[in-house]
Amino acid sequence: ENILFAFSWPGSRPGSKVRNELYYLVRSHPYKKARLKDCVLCVDFAQVTTPDDRVAFIDTSPLTEDELWTEFEVGQLIMLDRGVPHLSFFDCAQAEHEGRGLKSNAFEESKYSSSSEVSSAARA
C-alpha cells in the first residue's frame, strides 16, 4: 500500500543531454527541525509526526539546507516502500513477497499466481 516508484529520466527527448534531476531524503524518528532553502521557514517534524513514522521526500533539488539529500543516478528507478528506498530488484523482493510492490487494484488479477506459472506459460 505504501509503495512509490520514482524514475530519473535521462532526458526530455531522444538524444537530449538535458537531465531531469531528482533527489530524495528519508526522515525517521527522532525528528529534528528542517530549514527550507528558498524561504525563511523552519519545520519541526517532531510536532507533526509520531515515533513510528518514516517520511520520504522526492524533489528536483534539495529543499532543505541542513540535511543530506541523495541524488538519483541518470536512468535510476527507485522503489520506496514505507519510506525506505530500495535500489535493486533483490531489495524489492520483500515488499513483493508481503503483497505490496507491483500489485494493483486497478487491474484484474492475473490468472498466473506465481512467477513459475508465468515462466511455464511463456515457454508454451
Side-chain angles (χ1 to χ4, degrees):
E1 290 180 10
N2 298 305
I3 297 284
L4 171 74
F5 289 93
F7 179 66
S8 177
W9 185 254
S12 59
R13 61 188 177 278
S16 173
K17 298 200 185 316
V18 175
R19 195 170 147 206
N20 298 330
E21 295 179 354
L22 289 177
Y23 296 81
Y24 71 91
L25 171 74
V26 177
R27 290 194 186 109
S28 59
H29 184 77
Y31 292 98
K32 63 178 189 166
K33 292 181 181 180
R35 184 175 311 282
L36 297 179
K37 278 186 170 184
D38 59 351
C39 64
V40 182
L41 179 65
C42 189
V43 179
D44 185 357
F45 284 94
Q47 293 183 6
V48 294
T49 57
T50 71
D52 296 329
D53 291 336
R54 185 180 305 112
V55 183
F57 295 87
I58 298 174
D59 207 309
T60 55
S61 65
L63 297 173
T64 55
E65 57 189 33
D66 53 352
E67 297 175 291
L68 182 62
W69 288 71
T70 303
E71 185 176 4
F72 280 58
E73 294 178 21
V74 174
Q76 183 177 32
L77 174 68
I78 294 177
M79 181 182 91
L80 292 147
D81 175 31
R82 297 179 176 169
V84 176
H86 298 285
L87 308 178
S88 75
F89 170 78
F90 298 105
D91 291 339
C92 301
Q94 185 65 35
E96 190 70 30
H97 178 72
E98 293 174 0
R100 297 181 313 279
L102 296 177
K103 183 177 179 185
S104 171
N105 293 331
F107 302 102
E108 286 184 31
E109 192 166 327
S110 170
K111 66 179 182 174
Y112 304 110
S113 61
S114 72
S115 59
S116 62
E117 289 177 348
V118 172
S119 296
S120 298
R123 287 191 298 265

